Amino acid sequence: MSREPGLTVRTTCPYCGVGCGVLATRGEDGTVAVRGDPDHPANFGRLCSKGSALAETLDLDGRLLHPEIAGERTSWDTALDRVVDRFAAAIDEHGPDSVALYVSGQLLTEDYYVANKLMKGFIGSANIDTNSRLCMASSVAGHRRAFGTDTVPGTYEDLELAELVVLTGSNLAWCHPVVYQRLAAAKAARPDMKVVLVDPRRTMTADIADLHLAIAPDGDVALFLGLLAHLEENSMIDVGYIEAHTTGFEAALTAARAVGLAKLMAQTGLAEAELEAFFGLWASADKVVTVYSQGVNQSASGTDKVNAIINCHLATGRIGRPGAGPLSVTGQPNAMGGREVGGLANTLAAHMDIENAEHRDRVQRFWQSPTIAERPGLKAVDLFRAVGEGRIKALWIMATNPVDSLPDAGAVEAALKACPFVVVSDIMAETDTIRHAHVKLPSLGWGEKDGTVTNSERRISRQRAFLSAPGEARADWWQLTEVGRRMGHGEAFAYPDAAGIFREHAALTAFENHGNRDLDIGACADLDGEAYDALSPFQWPQPAGRGADGGDTRFFAAGGFYTADRRARFVPVSPPAGNTAPAGLRYTLNTGRIRDHWHTMTRTGKSARLSAHIAESFSEIHPRDAKALGIGEADLVRVANHRGEIVVRALISLRQQPGNVFVPMHWTDQWASSARVNRLVAPVVDPISGQPALKRTAVTLAKFEAGLYGFVVSRERPALEGAGYWAIARARDGWRAEFAFVDAFADSQPFICSLLGLQPDTPLISFTDPRSGLTRHAAFDGARLIGAVYLSDRPVAVSRSWAADQLGEDFANLSSRWRVIAGRPANDMPDRGAIVCACMNVGVNDIVGAIRGGCMSVDAVSKVTTAGTNCGSCKSEIKGLLDEHQIIAAE
């Protein structure tokens, strides 16, 4: 693996489950340049805004570089011995189920494989679960119920071949932008293709849709039950496929018929005409792909939603054929790889079943392990409940931040505080989770680690190292093998490198596999180190002896399911019972991702470019609700229930339905004063998958009354302790932050100097506008701006992007400093305004200027400004600005 400057390394993006290929080149000066790999079949050279900014996230600021015990640096030997001693003591005294691992879809397959092997085969407990439980466990459960195994039938290419694409519970434009652009390009090439979006919000994905169904929360089961009944009533089912390859159709149909039109409308919140339009599109298209993601999975009825969707595809035989089938798009770069090696508490390696004695025996014989877990372990929410109850005595967390990502996050944090022994392996020295660790272990990050990942279409790609390991950071698989060896299992964990682990994983998929298991990559079981280094992306299955082209890797067009009788199972499902919100909790909270940030921002938070589009958390509220609550644009909003409260910025939008509010999941205590939204979410899970219901929480909304609002840009991280509200983000040459206090200051000078890290008597340039109430202050060190602070009795009106850019400007000309005080550029100087296109750093004023200059289409605006020419995920916003301009022009 070359780490030489000047050489380009083919690797894979570490963000979502699209699995984009990346070309990374390290310069002689140590800088790194990234671009999309034009030869990778997932993205063909495209990258989203996050992938394009990867090089901006590789610095060592804040990295955990050495092992620590109780906050003190120590050696690897000492740290690992402590881990082994405490785990062994717990096992000896309380049994193997008293210890647990909580791992992550950020791990490589090789890391996952060793963790699963250690826990289930050598410790003897299935108490290993993953944050992937939070994003795709319902898909796994639905697949296993219908197909007999966790098999994704189709491929990304199917989106380009379909006549109809249904996007349900998926904001594809923002959460999987590269796949979205493949779909958009296909629709542009074939205008007859139809796209339907099923989502309570009118997300940016709606702008490609021919039909948007603003479904009521958790109305998906009813919708697809109605569709199944409609298909049968109109003779649109494939009787031949049903009779040859499935069982249970009549029971599923009976369940579907039980939902009459009135109940269907009530459950979905949709009008009869909307339902008829959707059913008509589905029935008339021979090639249908249903794409689903977190809006389906993150629900107390998530597994039933998945099976309701699959039932429709089985009933019409629209599965496994080019352009037809259900497609679950995963949220993490290696959630699929974790599924393949048994990373979930209720599965075994190589897609085998922990409940199956024959499978357990097979895995144990292959591993030659002293034991094998005999029953499923604790799933994520139950696992942390057990930690809080004292049943888990030792816990090892790897590459994830459960204090922020799990529901009832306050209880999760309390559980970690009370746990006798917590180990955290991470790349960052400070996260909301690692602050509770007794032992901290430094891991390798993207660009440093080496292994494989699997994307949403079952394509295995290499993540390759092009940077040296910083400090004493080590691969996660190495940490696990060292613990296994110290526990006395040296021979079983004597891996020299990641290639050796991958070979073993591949061999297990082929072991006693006579075509009765879906996952088979036996062709890779004999790869030597050189072949592993050179491994090109491929889709499984790839059994030994298959030709280099691999053939068609779709599943189930001709049946061949992985149940005992090789028939698919129709699963009868029913709509969930209606939720009655507790008294006084009038609003339904939905959580999710935004375009330019990722998980808990330990990586994307390092990039100023990625924070330029949205720099603080927000609550998206319908204008009617905002008016009723007295909330204005950019006010602060208190979102609360009996579990706690958060304070976030108001975003008033017609894209939201009345009675609903959306808050993104990304902001943590590292980035905001009170924005950990999962503190409000109940620990309610799907009874089959164990996946938490993160999309439907009852809350109250109220305006957060502040006497003083502020915005600051500074070279050093500003000191915001004591503010009633704050949210901080990186700027190109420093930091930017929003803040608010309940009460105004009589004298702001001491606060400003403290905020900027200055002596109390440091001279400031200041100005107060009596008309607006805006007070402006700036401090300079020679020709450099130290920082600028803008204060007001209302949300501060100042060009944020322009103000942040001033940290990199030269102010040798004293008169130019008054521009900073003015909070805007001179009339002859450009102000990009709020950033719309993070890839190309194009602001709203640039786009509006192009529109006013005569650009009347998205393509025309893109040509003039370059906005939307990379990943294209901002095109919906460009279209919105065009529509707004046309409305104003018409008036």
Side-chain angles (χ1 to χ4, degrees):
M1 194 63 53
S2 175
R3 296 178 175 85
E4 297 177 19
L7 294 180
T8 295
V9 173
R10 292 184 185 276
T11 185
T12 308
C13 181
Y15 289 119
C16 75
V18 174
C20 295
V22 174
L23 300 179
T25 306
R26 189 159 65 95
E28 296 287 346
D29 59 356
T31 59
V32 173
V34 300
R35 64 186 191 279
D37 183 351
D39 297 323
H40 196 289
N43 61 313
F44 299 107
R46 282 190 178 274
L47 289 179
C48 73
S49 59
K50 295 183 290 292
S52 298
L54 274 167
E56 299 165 26
T57 68
L58 298 176
D59 62 68
L60 298 183
D61 289 353
R63 284 290 297 268
L64 179 65
L65 298 175
H66 307 282
E68 294 181 9
I69 296 178
E72 299 294 328
R73 179 175 171 178
T74 189
S75 68
W76 268 108
D77 282 338
T78 302
L80 292 169
D81 285 345
R82 178 68 61 88
V83 173
V84 171
D85 289 347
R86 294 299 299 269
F87 268 68
I91 293 167
D92 289 345
E93 184 174 354
H94 303 284
D97 286 338
S98 69
V99 301
L101 267 65
Y102 187 64
V103 295
S104 165
Q106 300 291 295
L107 295 180
L108 303 182
T109 300
E110 292 76 4
D111 305 319
Y112 251 132
Y113 180 86
V114 177
N116 185 60
K117 179 179 178 180
L118 173 65
M119 199 65 198
K120 289 175 181 162
F122 289 83
I123 290 176
S125 171
N127 281 349
I128 172 172
D129 211 41
T130 165
N131 64 2
S132 299
R133 176 75 57 190
L134 312 183
C135 73
M136 36 47 63
S138 292
S139 290
V140 174
H143 289 160
R144 292 175 76 189
R145 288 207 296 184
F147 308 146
T149 191
D150 176 23
T151 310
V152 175
T155 71
Y156 296 158
E157 184 187 37
D158 293 328
L159 294 170
E160 298 163 330
L161 300 175
E163 297 167 9
L164 170 67
V165 175
V166 179
L167 303 168
T168 181
S170 169
N171 185 5
L172 205 69
W174 274 22
C175 299
H176 301 90
V178 171
V179 168
Y180 174 80
Q181 288 306 315
R182 288 183 65 167
L183 174 61
K187 184 168 172 56
R190 293 191 294 115
D192 290 342
M193 172 195 277
K194 301 298 182 184
V195 176
V196 175
L197 176 68
V198 182
D199 197 306
R201 299 164 63 217
R202 184 175 177 81
T203 66
M204 293 300 175
T205 303
D207 292 334
I208 198 179
D210 299 281
L211 175 65
H212 171 220
L213 300 178
I215 196 167
D218 285 339
D220 311 73
V221 172
L223 178 67
F224 284 93
L225 285 172
L227 174 60
L228 181 62
H230 174 87
L231 293 169
E232 194 278 334
E233 289 167 6
N234 290 274
S235 302
M236 298 303 297
I237 62 171
D238 188 335
V239 176
Y241 190 90
I242 291 171
E243 291 180 347
H245 304 302
T246 73
T247 186
F249 175 68
E250 288 301 327
L253 182 60
T254 298
R257 286 171 170 166
V259 183
L261 178 61
K263 186 175 181 180
L264 180 57
M265 293 169 63
Q267 286 272 337
T268 61
L270 301 174
E272 182 178 1
E274 293 176 298
L275 294 167
E276 289 179 351
F278 173 57
F279 295 165
L281 286 172
W282 221 99
S284 62
D286 180 57
K287 296 180 178 181
V288 181
V289 174
T290 304
V291 178
Y292 62 92
S293 193
Q294 308 316 337
V296 165
N297 293 330
Q298 290 177 340
S299 166
S301 56
T303 305
D304 283 352
K305 290 182 183 183
V306 172
N307 285 115
I309 292 167
I310 291 173
N311 284 349
C312 294
H313 282 274
L314 291 174
T316 54
R318 296 171 188 171
I319 186 169
R321 295 189 282 116
L327 179 62
S328 161
V329 286
T330 54
Q332 295 194 80
N334 204 31
M336 290 282 282
R339 289 151 71 168
E340 292 161 8
V341 300
L344 293 165
N346 57 315
T347 62
L348 279 180
H351 277 193
M352 286 184 270
D353 302 330
I354 201 167
E355 304 91 345
N356 187 312
E358 180 182 335
H359 289 188
R360 294 197 304 270
D361 174 69
R362 181 182 297 128
V363 174
Q364 185 175 5
R365 284 187 289 108
F366 181 86
W367 281 342
Q368 300 180 39
S369 61
T371 186
I372 194 75
E374 295 185 349
R375 60 183 181 276
L378 294 169
K379 298 169 185 174
V381 172
D382 291 335
L383 173 60
F384 281 89
R385 183 180 294 116
V387 173
E389 293 171 352
R391 290 184 283 136
I392 299 297
K393 309 297 183 182
L395 174 65
W396 190 351
I397 299 168
M398 307 187 82
T400 187
N401 205 353
V403 165
D404 298 311
S405 57
L406 278 166
D408 202 7
V412 171
E413 184 162 34
L416 287 184
K417 288 179 180 178
C419 187
F421 187 64
V422 177
V423 185
V424 176
S425 296
D426 208 308
I427 67 170
M428 299 303 293
E430 296 294 334
T431 71
D432 292 355
T433 295
I434 205 171
R435 63 191 175 191
H436 303 298
H438 300 94
V439 176
K440 302 177 183 179
L441 301 178
S443 295
L444 298 179
W446 183 80
E448 301 155 3
K449 57 186 180 179
D450 184 53
T452 58
V453 293
T454 306
N455 73 357
S456 296
E457 61 169 353
R458 293 175 280 105
R459 190 175 301 280
I460 296 175
S461 300
R462 291 278 279 109
Q463 262 196 31
R464 296 181 172 92
F466 53 87
L467 299 172
S468 300
E472 295 183 272
R474 297 290 183 270
D476 294 293
W477 67 260
W478 179 88
Q479 300 172 31
L480 291 155
T481 58
E482 286 297 311
V483 168
R485 290 170 183 173
R486 284 169 163 81
M487 286 182 162
H489 310 299
E491 187 174 342
F493 294 93
Y495 302 112
D497 50 28
I501 303 168
F502 185 75
R503 283 193 296 272
E504 183 175 306
H505 160 52
L508 178 54
T509 68
F511 183 58
E512 298 178 358
N513 188 346
H514 308 295
N516 56 339
R517 303 202 309 271
D518 63 336
L519 174 58
D520 186 344
I521 55 170
C524 299
D526 297 319
L527 291 180
D528 59 20
E530 184 176 346
Y532 178 75
D533 285 347
L535 188 65
S536 296
F538 70 93
Q539 280 181 302
W540 60 260
Q542 287 288 337
R546 174 175 282 192
D549 65 354
D552 186 3
T553 60
R554 294 178 179 87
F555 284 90
F556 309 139
F561 297 92
Y562 294 96
T563 56
D565 60 6
R566 304 307 297 267
R567 289 174 171 267
R569 302 286 189 261
F570 280 95
V571 180
V573 295
S574 300
N579 269 5
T580 302
L585 302 183
R586 293 182 48 206
Y587 298 93
T588 298
L589 169 66
N590 177 14
T591 68
R593 292 177 176 161
I594 61 171
R595 190 188 76 189
D596 295 340
H597 276 307
W598 170 253
H599 279 200
T600 57
M601 294 168 56
T602 50
R603 181 182 289 116
T604 55
K606 286 174 170 280
S607 169
R609 178 155 54 121
L610 295 179
S611 291
H613 180 237
I614 297 175
E616 59 184 326
S617 189
F618 61 87
S619 53
E620 187 178 58
I621 309 168
H622 190 275
R624 185 192 309 167
D625 293 331
K627 183 178 180 180
L629 293 164
I631 295 171
E633 193 66 58
D635 277 344
L636 294 173
V637 179
R638 193 189 306 271
V639 187
N641 58 23
H642 67 280
R643 288 181 189 82
E645 67 176 44
I646 61 173
V647 178
V648 292
R649 189 71 63 180
L651 175 62
I652 301 171
S653 172
L654 287 168
R655 291 181 176 271
Q656 183 61 273
Q657 287 196 67
N660 290 265
V661 57
F662 173 85
V663 177
M665 59 168 281
H666 308 291
W667 273 265
T668 71
D669 288 349
Q670 311 300 312
W671 299 102
S673 56
S674 180
R676 287 170 48 209
V677 67
N678 282 339
R679 292 173 57 213
L680 309 181
V681 177
V684 175
V685 301
D686 180 287
I688 299 162
S689 69
Q691 182 159 355
L694 299 174
K695 298 289 188 182
R696 189 175 184 181
T697 298
V699 296
T700 63
L701 302 177
K703 181 178 178 179
F704 178 86
E705 299 289 351
L708 179 71
Y709 295 86
F711 175 70
V712 58
V713 296
S714 62
R715 289 192 169 274
E716 302 298 327
R717 181 173 174 131
L720 290 159
E721 294 78 9
Y725 168 84
W726 59 264
I728 194 165
R730 292 274 190 176
R732 189 179 62 190
D733 293 286
W735 299 85
R736 56 182 287 186
E738 307 281 347
F739 59 89
F741 286 84
V742 173
D743 298 311
F745 302 124
D747 180 7
S748 59
Q749 169 96 11
F751 164 72
I752 292 165
C753 290
S754 174
L755 183 69
L756 299 178
L758 304 174
Q759 293 298 315
D761 57 353
T762 301
L764 301 174
I765 299 178
S766 301
F767 176 76
T768 298
D769 184 344
R771 291 177 301 171
S772 68
L774 181 65
T775 303
R776 304 139 179 167
H777 311 268
F780 294 86
D781 180 9
R784 297 195 327 158
L785 175 65
I786 297 173
V789 183
Y790 304 87
L791 304 174
S792 180
D793 59 0
R794 68 205 72 172
V796 173
V798 66
S799 176
R800 267 74 171 162
S801 296
W802 180 86
D805 286 347
Q806 302 315 295
L807 293 170
E809 296 297 316
D810 184 300
F811 290 94
N813 182 343
L814 298 184
S815 63
S816 66
R817 300 182 181 189
W818 287 101
R819 295 200 310 269
V820 178
I821 297 301
R824 56 178 172 75
N827 292 334
D828 60 344
M829 298 181 67
D831 172 15
R832 292 169 299 161
I835 297 300
V836 173
C837 177
C839 295
M840 310 307 290
N841 207 29
V842 180
V844 64
N845 293 344
D846 300 322
I847 294 168
V848 169
I851 295 170
R852 289 173 177 168
C855 296
M856 290 292 104
S857 69
V858 172
D859 287 343
V861 171
S862 295
K863 186 174 183 180
V864 169
T865 66
T866 72
T869 57
N870 184 43
C871 76
S873 58
C874 63
K875 286 185 175 181
S876 296
E877 289 170 90
I878 298 172
K879 182 177 183 297
L881 291 169
L882 278 162
D883 292 344
E884 184 178 317
H885 176 80
Q886 289 166 359
I887 291 171
I888 292 171
E891 292 175 348

